[in-house]
């Protein structure tokens, strides 16, 4: 039997999930990144990830983002797509893990409410 169809469309979303501040990365994720960029694992670890003292785990580094305060450093600011899709961490492959995406549901709720199919809440228009 075919898998149930997802109730979200990433192509219609500004990549909210990539703006999540603590995107955890494991050793094998860093190894994959190092291989992708043909660099040393230790260099990849420092360049692409940082230690989150509160969560006690390594997370993806962010950079400034047009829509959100910051987003993963690998998010393309124009296309809103992942620039390292083949080498993205496991958590990015697994998310949201269900047929529904909470971020997407909220996005659709806002767009319905404002009757604007292109609306994206940003740090500028959120009070
Ligand atoms: S927030 Fe949800 S709908 Fe948007 S890109 Fe991420 S998984 Fe896709
Ligand atoms: S690695 Fe790609 S999919 Fe994962 S958070 Fe960064 S931009 Fe998003």
């Amino acid at each position: 039997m075919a898998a149930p169809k997802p109730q979200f469309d990433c192509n219609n979303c500004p990549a909210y999930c990539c703006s999540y501040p603590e995107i955890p990365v494991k050793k094998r994720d860093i190894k994959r990144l190092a291989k992708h960029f043909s660099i040393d694992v230790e260099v990849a670890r420092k360049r692409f990830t940082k230690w989150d003292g509160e969560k006690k785990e390594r997370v993806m580094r962010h950079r400034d983002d047009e829509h959100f305060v910051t987003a993963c450093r690998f998010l393309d600011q124009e296309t809103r797509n992942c620039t390292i899709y083949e080498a993205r961490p496991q958590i990015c492959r697994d998310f949201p893990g269900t047929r529904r995406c909470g971020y997407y549901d909220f996005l659709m709720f806002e767009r319905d409410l404002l009757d604007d199919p292109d609306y994206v809440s940003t740090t500028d228009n959120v009070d």
Side-chain angles (χ1 to χ4, degrees):
M1 206 165 86
K5 202 168 167 236
Q7 300 296 299
F8 57 90
D9 178 2
C10 296
N11 292 319
N12 192 29
C13 171
Y16 277 106
C17 54
C18 303
S19 73
Y20 187 66
E22 295 118 13
I23 299 165
V25 277
K26 307 294 181 206
K27 276 184 185 166
R28 65 177 178 277
D29 294 320
I30 298 172
K31 270 191 186 171
R32 195 186 300 110
L33 283 170
K35 191 174 172 201
H36 180 76
F37 288 101
S38 304
I39 57 176
D40 188 74
V41 171
E42 189 53 27
V43 174
R45 195 172 81 91
K46 285 191 182 146
R47 191 175 294 171
F48 306 138
T49 74
K50 65 177 185 179
W51 179 249
D52 184 320
E54 210 169 296
K55 292 262 180 182
K56 304 268 185 289
E57 63 187 357
R58 292 203 79 79
V59 298
M60 294 298 274
R61 283 191 186 276
H62 275 212
R63 63 175 179 171
D64 292 347
D65 184 77
E66 180 192 344
H67 291 297
F68 312 112
V69 178
T70 65
C72 174
R73 71 191 300 291
F74 290 118
L75 180 66
D76 187 308
Q77 298 282 304
E78 295 293 319
T79 65
R80 311 304 294 174
N81 289 334
C82 178
T83 57
I84 53 155
Y85 193 74
E86 296 304 322
R88 70 199 188 286
Q90 190 62 45
I91 189 93
C92 306
R93 294 159 195 265
D94 296 342
F95 188 84
T98 60
R99 286 180 67 205
R100 303 200 79 93
C101 169
Y103 289 117
Y104 192 77
D105 284 346
F106 186 66
L107 179 67
M108 291 302 110
F109 168 78
E110 284 184 311
R111 286 178 177 175
D112 277 351
L113 196 68
L114 298 167
D115 198 19
D116 179 352
D118 300 318
Y119 179 78
V120 173
S121 60
T122 68
T123 44
D124 294 333
N125 60 22
V126 172
D127 289 330

